[in-house]
Amino acid sequence: MSEIKATNEQRWLDALERELKGKSLEDLNLKTPEGIPVKPLYTASDLKNLQIGDSMPGVRPFMRGAHASMYTNRLWTVRQYAGFSTAEESNLFFRNNLAAGQTGLSVAFDLATHRGYDSDHSRVEGDVGKAGVAIDSVEDMKILFDGIPLNKMSVSMTMNGAVLPILANFIVAAEEQGVKKEELSGTIQNDILKEFMVRNTYIYPPEPSMRIVADVIEYTAKYMPRFNSISISGYHMHEAGATAVEELAFTLADGLEYVRSAVNRGLNIDDFAPRLSFFFAIGMNFFMEIAKLRAARILWAELMEKFNPKEKRSLVLRTHCQTSGVSLTEQEPHNNVIRTTIEALAGVFGGTQSLHTNGLDEAVSLPTPFSARIARNTQLIIAEETGVTNVVDPLGGSFYLESLTASLVEEARKLINEIDELGGMTKAVMHGVPKQRIEKSAAEKQARIDKGEEVIVGVNKYRNESEEEIDILEVDNSAVRAQQIKRLKAVRRSRDEKFCKKVLQELTNAANKDDHNLLELSIEASRARATVGEISEALEQKYTRYRAEVKSIKGVYSAAYEGDEVFTNIQKDVEEFAELAGRRPRILVVKLGQDGHDRGAKTIATAFADIGFDVDIGPLFQTPEEAAKDAIENDVHVIGVSSQAAGHKLLVPKLIKELNKNGSENIIVVCGGVIPKQDYNYLFKKGVSAVYGPGTNIPKAASEIIDVIKDRSHF
């Protein structure tokens, strides 16, 4: 038999040599961004030393599935992450989706809510209702779920910074609907550590934030047996640029930190561990994403065994998945349907417990009902028409997949150990270690795309001559905010103000004491009709509001372009400008409003610095007035506004107005990020010099901006 095998392998090598015509086998080998080598062919011999044995679904290490029967017995939950405008609008959207086949809800909150501000706060003028639904009090929450039986519907809520008031409002809304908290099912994200790494919708510093996480775990373990107290999220790491190894390792390290925190509070591991859940992104590297979910289950079982659980369920990693937003393109948006289908299929083959599929238009806007329906039907077609649910783990036994899974386990285990050596994830986050690694990976990926080494069809290869426009969902932010302010005033008028203040003071007093559960007190505040902003501010009095130190990395982007003639010529243009002007071109990169997604801003800052610009990075969550002041004080040539949350139409004109008011109309303003083509002319009319949408080639943009600066400087 071995002789036959050897003969077959030799025959393949001989055939390969003929086809390669002078190239070697090594020319077909590659290395992934994770550093994992990939061969052109895998055989049974690649499985010899892998410790996978006869692994079975539903049995430790759960590589082949969290449950023994998987989708042969029960399909994954079909969720759509949605929420926009007012609670009324979102409620209608939810009910229509449920009627069309959706089986669970996943709520997107606006950035004002995420950051613990009421809609009438001066810092959130451009954010209310834009990237999610505005929730200011329990009255909004009641409207959001009107007509939706919360004792029967699983509800997932993406909320971290303002987790206390939002979960409290949900519990009270259910209570007033006649549903006991014991009957509630679903998930609250409650994953604050990743916020300090990538998404930045934190409110308080890391240590008090971890106390809040533990309080939520403790309360739900006692009173909400069907509810998942935390969804440990790698999704946002992936979207920020993390490799599969980084997403896997940092997510599980976060989970380990939360478990330790709960155990240190005296909680029994089996009382809460079965209700922990995870949340991973599914990108376009098909087999890598499948292997990532399989590796996650192996590693989590390994990590949890150290706590000596008595129940098998405590060892099982259960996960929700969402197709990647960063893989969607503005160019040829209908291609996004294909991308989402491939990613959804990978999530299913990987064994996810629930799934969200993105709309084709989400590279530039919130999904329309049309695109949301296609996204939802993608899941239904996979479930009902393909036959992939007929077999548990249909790709199990693939030589390549099993090898890739083992490699991911090995690499992620190394990184988890590195985090442990730093003292755990909280300390690693405080030192900025995961954040810096992810930003490095993001810069490297962008360089590969800009150079054409990583192909994005329709963007850097096979680009269409004419670009199509699609209908987008436009939210009238001013109207939403006016409605929210009106309801806020009504809530404050109708409540017992004295009692409300008393309850809020009790919450403040408990902030630095361990003898009160903060979620329990927040529920009391919610019943008293305290608002999201008031509950958040009650804790802010003791904890303060956290401001992250803004840093950028250097040399990563330019390293990818070493020896590239075009890149070198752009650097020469910068040097020539510096000689003429007596200084380098200077750019201030800013984020306006409460949008914490800073991947684009950080990548631009890194790339432009490597090209030769002097680069300043503004702190997150600036107002237009603050950004203008920074630009004037730093004497910059240009402000680059990075937008991802649709506040650009309100906030950018305010920035320009502020510059003009202070006699600095010579400062150029450019915009980049998630900006629909339909908004370009509006921005140009308001004084914006250039707009760079998704898929922009950074060196080309830098070259254009140098020319604009030269023109403005009359060089």
Side-chain angles (χ1 to χ4, degrees):
M1 190 72 180
S2 60
E3 192 175 321
I4 296 171
K5 184 179 175 183
T7 303
N8 283 339
E9 286 185 5
Q10 190 57 54
R11 285 174 179 168
W12 174 73
L13 287 168
D14 293 343
L16 187 69
E17 188 177 356
R18 289 193 296 273
E19 291 177 13
L20 293 180
K21 297 179 179 177
K23 290 195 293 186
S24 70
L25 175 62
E26 282 68 35
D27 293 330
L28 300 182
N29 293 334
L30 57 87
K31 188 168 280 189
T32 72
E34 293 77 14
I36 294 171
V38 176
K39 305 184 298 180
L41 181 69
Y42 288 79
T43 67
S45 61
D46 291 290
L47 305 186
K48 278 183 180 177
N49 298 318
L50 301 184
Q51 295 179 343
I52 55 173
D54 58 351
S55 177
M56 299 296 280
V59 179
R60 196 185 169 210
F62 310 103
M63 179 182 72
R64 302 193 65 187
H67 307 291
S69 57
M70 290 302 293
Y71 312 136
T72 63
N73 181 52
R74 180 184 174 186
L75 285 179
W76 63 90
T77 301
V78 179
R79 295 193 190 273
Q80 289 300 96
Y81 180 54
F84 60 92
S85 185
T86 61
E88 290 90 344
E89 289 284 333
S90 293
N91 173 262
L92 180 62
F93 193 77
F94 288 164
R95 291 166 72 171
N96 288 340
N97 285 358
L98 291 170
Q102 187 175 310
T103 56
L105 294 177
S106 184
V107 184
F109 298 95
D110 73 358
L111 290 166
T113 306
H114 272 289
R115 293 271 293 146
Y117 291 118
D118 289 331
S119 296
D120 58 357
H121 198 284
S122 60
R123 300 193 74 86
V124 301
E125 189 178 5
D127 299 300
V128 178
K130 272 292 191 182
V133 60
I135 299 292
D136 289 316
S137 75
V138 71
E139 296 301 327
D140 290 329
M141 194 72 80
K142 287 168 69 177
I143 294 167
L144 184 65
F145 295 109
D146 183 44
I148 298 171
L150 292 177
N151 57 337
K152 297 178 181 177
M153 182 58 58
S154 172
V155 177
S156 172
M157 292 178 285
T158 300
M159 179 52 63
N160 300 283
V163 63
L164 290 174
I166 289 301
L167 186 52
N169 281 338
F170 178 69
I171 291 167
V172 175
E175 190 179 275
E176 296 184 10
Q177 193 186 86
V179 178
K180 298 176 181 176
K181 55 181 175 282
E182 292 83 1
E183 299 176 277
L184 294 171
S185 64
T187 304
I188 189 81
Q189 193 163 98
N190 193 30
D191 178 8
I192 202 63
L193 286 173
K194 68 97 175 40
E195 297 295 325
F196 295 105
M197 286 186 250
V198 289
R199 193 163 175 256
N200 300 307
T201 58
Y202 44 70
I203 300 175
Y204 316 113
E207 288 181 340
S209 295
M210 285 295 293
R211 186 272 176 85
I212 291 170
V213 170
D215 275 11
V216 171
I217 293 173
E218 180 183 57
Y219 185 90
T220 53
K222 284 183 181 178
Y223 304 115
M224 301 171 71
R226 299 176 60 203
F227 199 83
N228 298 327
S229 58
I230 191 167
S231 175
I232 305 148
S233 175
Y235 182 89
H236 304 94
M237 300 179 201
H238 175 280
E239 298 295 274
T243 65
V245 167
E246 288 164 349
E247 180 189 357
L248 186 56
F250 292 153
T251 304
L252 297 182
D254 280 352
L256 182 60
E257 191 83 342
Y258 297 134
V259 169
R260 286 170 175 163
S261 179
V263 169
N264 290 339
R265 291 284 294 273
L267 291 180
N268 182 287
I269 189 72
D270 291 317
D271 288 343
F272 69 91
R275 303 310 307 174
L276 301 176
S277 69
F278 287 79
F279 175 25
F280 288 103
I282 303 295
M284 283 297 290
N285 192 338
F286 186 74
F287 283 98
M288 183 70 76
E289 299 301 322
I290 298 168
K292 182 175 73 184
L293 298 186
R294 303 168 105 242
R297 290 191 291 270
I298 294 171
L299 286 164
W300 187 244
E302 184 180 293
L303 291 169
M304 291 300 290
E305 190 158 68
K306 297 174 183 176
F307 296 93
N308 300 313
K310 300 293 187 292
E311 290 190 31
K312 184 195 83 170
R313 293 190 308 143
S314 297
L315 299 171
V316 180
L317 180 144
R318 297 167 303 108
T319 189
H320 169 71
C321 288
Q322 180 175 339
T323 59
S324 173
V326 78
S327 70
L328 303 176
T329 65
E330 178 190 42
Q331 298 79 8
E332 297 192 65
H334 291 102
N335 287 347
N336 294 333
V337 177
I338 304 163
R339 293 186 176 100
T340 295
T341 302
I342 292 167
E343 290 171 348
L345 197 56
V348 170
F349 279 138
T352 188
Q353 275 63 67
S354 74
L355 181 62
H356 165 89
T357 33
N358 290 327
L360 65 92
D361 45 6
E362 289 188 64
V364 292
S365 73
L366 291 166
T368 62
F370 171 77
S371 70
R373 182 168 182 82
I374 291 175
R376 183 175 57 255
N377 285 348
T378 300
Q379 293 195 52
L380 298 177
I381 289 167
I382 290 172
E384 302 290 348
E385 298 185 26
T386 63
V388 300
T389 62
N390 296 341
V391 177
V392 179
D393 189 28
L395 292 187
S398 158
F399 303 140
Y400 174 44
L401 181 61
E402 305 295 3
S403 297
L404 193 56
T405 300
S407 295
L408 274 175
V409 168
E410 183 181 353
E411 294 303 316
R413 190 184 283 133
K414 289 178 189 173
L415 192 47
I416 291 169
N417 290 337
E418 283 180 32
I419 297 297
D420 253 10
E421 287 170 10
L422 289 170
M425 205 56 172
T426 303
K427 288 186 178 176
V429 164
M430 291 172 74
H431 286 101
V433 174
K435 190 175 187 71
Q436 286 176 18
R437 285 192 64 144
I438 292 171
E439 287 173 3
K440 180 176 181 289
S441 295
E444 290 171 341
K445 182 178 177 71
Q446 188 61 51
R448 291 195 301 273
I449 293 170
D450 288 343
K451 288 181 72 179
E453 294 173 352
E454 188 168 319
V455 173
I456 311 293
V457 173
V459 176
N460 62 3
K461 197 173 184 179
Y462 313 114
R463 188 152 184 170
N464 204 347
E465 292 294 326
S466 60
E467 293 188 8
E468 57 187 313
E469 272 193 14
I470 56 174
D471 292 333
I472 62 170
L473 180 66
E474 182 79 24
V475 174
D476 186 346
N477 163 251
S478 298
V480 174
R481 189 165 186 251
Q483 183 173 326
Q484 289 300 118
I485 291 173
K486 185 179 177 182
R487 189 145 55 226
L488 270 168
K489 287 178 178 177
V491 167
R492 288 168 180 153
R493 277 197 309 268
S494 63
R495 70 190 183 187
D496 184 333
E497 191 66 24
K498 187 177 178 181
F499 179 70
C500 185
K501 285 181 177 177
K502 176 178 174 292
V503 176
L504 287 169
Q505 187 60 52
E506 288 172 358
L507 184 59
T508 300
N509 295 341
N512 293 328
K513 299 177 183 176
D514 293 333
D515 56 346
H516 288 84
N517 186 286
L518 297 180
L519 177 55
E520 193 163 6
L521 290 171
S522 298
I523 292 168
E524 291 301 318
S526 177
R527 289 190 184 116
R529 281 351 189 224
T531 66
V532 168
E534 289 166 344
I535 293 172
S536 299
E537 203 276 331
L539 292 171
E540 190 180 335
Q541 288 182 37
K542 289 291 180 78
Y543 293 156
T544 71
R545 188 169 279 266
Y546 183 72
R547 289 174 69 90
E549 185 181 354
V550 180
K551 296 179 180 177
S552 66
I553 54 175
K554 293 180 179 179
V556 174
Y557 193 86
S558 58
Y561 275 92
E562 191 172 349
D564 185 271
E565 187 177 350
V566 174
F567 192 83
T568 303
N569 287 337
I570 297 169
Q571 289 177 314
K572 285 179 181 175
D573 286 345
V574 173
E575 295 298 330
E576 286 174 10
F577 176 89
E579 287 178 19
L580 289 167
R583 64 183 181 121
R584 294 179 177 278
R586 193 174 192 94
I587 184 171
L588 171 66
V589 180
V590 301
K591 299 282 298 183
L592 299 178
Q594 299 304 304
D595 175 18
H597 295 89
D598 61 352
R599 173 182 180 170
K602 288 291 187 65
T603 301
I604 289 292
T606 296
F608 271 57
D610 285 0
I611 287 167
F613 280 68
D614 282 336
V615 179
D616 298 312
I617 310 174
L620 288 171
F621 317 121
Q622 283 194 304
T623 64
E625 293 78 12
E626 290 165 344
K629 183 172 181 288
D630 278 1
I632 295 165
E633 288 178 353
N634 290 306
D635 193 22
V636 304
H637 294 98
V638 59
I639 301 174
V641 181
S642 174
S643 176
Q644 192 168 327
H648 49 269
K649 287 178 73 173
L650 177 68
L651 299 175
V652 174
K654 283 198 165 193
L655 170 64
I656 293 171
K657 186 178 179 181
E658 192 68 20
L659 290 171
N660 294 341
K661 188 174 81 175
N662 287 278
S664 296
E665 58 276 355
N666 61 312
I667 294 178
I668 299 156
V669 176
V670 301
C671 295
V674 181
I675 302 174
K677 284 267 193 293
Q678 291 91 326
D679 293 351
Y680 284 20
N681 283 334
Y682 176 86
L683 292 171
F684 292 146
K685 287 176 183 176
K686 294 295 182 178
V688 173
S689 296
V691 181
Y692 299 100
T696 293
N697 181 282
I698 293 179
K700 184 182 176 186
S703 182
E704 291 173 359
I705 289 171
I706 292 168
D707 289 339
V708 174
I709 297 172
K710 284 179 178 177
D711 289 344
R712 188 70 62 91
S713 305
H714 306 294
F715 291 147

